[in-house]
């Protein structure tokens, strides 16, 4: 709304002869603004204020609540730590940054990974042997990033349940 208001004041500030001369430019600008607003509205994560149920923070809280219904305590293994934290569950500190450290860990030497507490896919089994997860949440990041989590879950008999919008919660056997 502020962008549209600024556009209206900008057009009003032009002299009458200049307005007509710049009419095509203004038309293109109005089309771009309209297209941007429509794009924001239809985006899942950037909904314009509508129903509070649809707001991103409320959707995160809802997913956290669903996780908590199935899991009384943590730790929860996931690349999206916000969801279990909203459900008042514990996470692995190594994954507190979400996918960022997970993506870069394979490029570090094993010594550097140990020193910086980074976990690469090759280290996952050993880390989880010492501290097994109560549940694993997948379906929030790229499939290629979550593939080691899903492989671990299947290899250790975790049971998958869908909790909405392609998110899967893998429960301990």
């Amino acid at each position: 709304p502020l962008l549209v208001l600024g556009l209206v004041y900008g057009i009003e500030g032009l002299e009458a002869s200049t307005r007509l001369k710049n009419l095509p430019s203004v038309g293109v600008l109005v089309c771009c603004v309209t297209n941007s607003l429509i794009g924001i509205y239809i985006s899942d994560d950037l909904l314009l204020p509508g129903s509070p149920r649809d707001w991103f923070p409320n959707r995160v809280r809802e997913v956290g609540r669903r996780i908590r219904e199935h899991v009384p305590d943590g730790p929860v293994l996931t690349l999206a730590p916000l969801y279990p934290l909203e459900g008042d569950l514990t996470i692995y500190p190594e994954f507190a940054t979400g996918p960022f450290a997970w993506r870069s860990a394979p490029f570090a030497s094993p010594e550097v990974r140990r020193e910086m507490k980074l976990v690469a896919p090759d280290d996952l089994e050993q880390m989880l042997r010492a501290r097994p997860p109560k549940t694993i949440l997948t379906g929030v990041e790229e499939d290629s990033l979550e593939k080691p989590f899903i492989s671990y879950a299947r290899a250790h008999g975790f049971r998958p349940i869908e909790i909405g919008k392609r998110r899967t919660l893998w429960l301990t056997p």
Side-chain angles (χ1 to χ4, degrees):
L2 294 176
L3 188 59
V4 172
L5 184 63
L7 183 63
V8 169
Y9 280 128
I11 293 171
E12 184 183 321
L14 296 174
E15 292 183 28
S17 63
T18 311
R19 280 187 210 157
L20 291 175
K21 203 163 53 174
N22 289 326
L23 194 58
S25 300
V26 171
V28 169
L29 186 59
V30 168
C31 287
C32 288
V33 168
T34 304
N35 189 32
S36 297
L37 292 175
I38 290 170
I40 289 171
Y41 182 74
I42 62 175
S43 171
D44 280 348
D45 293 331
L46 298 173
L47 286 173
L48 291 176
S51 167
R53 178 180 57 82
D54 297 331
W55 296 349
F56 182 72
N58 292 339
R59 291 193 329 249
V60 170
R61 177 160 288 159
E62 177 61 23
V63 172
R65 186 191 61 73
R66 282 191 216 143
I67 294 170
R68 184 63 183 222
E69 284 176 0
H70 297 285
V71 184
D73 58 359
V76 177
L77 177 64
T78 183
L79 292 176
L82 184 60
Y83 295 109
L85 290 174
E86 274 295 320
D88 201 29
L89 295 164
T90 58
I91 59 166
Y92 288 89
E94 294 86 349
F95 295 101
T97 62
F100 303 110
W102 179 250
R103 285 178 205 249
S104 57
F107 301 108
S109 68
E111 297 79 29
V112 170
R113 289 197 306 256
R114 271 192 301 280
E115 180 183 326
M116 297 184 75
K117 296 186 182 349
L118 296 174
V119 178
D122 295 340
D123 309 325
L124 187 65
E125 182 77 36
Q126 181 181 354
M127 183 198 96
L128 296 178
R129 192 174 304 126
R131 298 176 293 155
K134 296 284 183 172
T135 191
I136 302 170
L137 175 65
T138 61
V140 289
E141 289 295 333
E142 299 168 22
D143 292 342
S144 61
L145 289 175
E146 293 182 336
K147 189 175 182 180
F149 289 17
I150 294 169
S151 296
Y152 177 88
R154 288 184 175 143
H156 291 85
F158 281 67
R159 179 175 47 95
I161 60 166
E162 295 295 320
I163 59 169
K165 198 172 181 180
R166 88 175 199 96
R167 290 179 183 87
T168 303
L169 200 59
W170 297 82
L171 303 174
T172 53

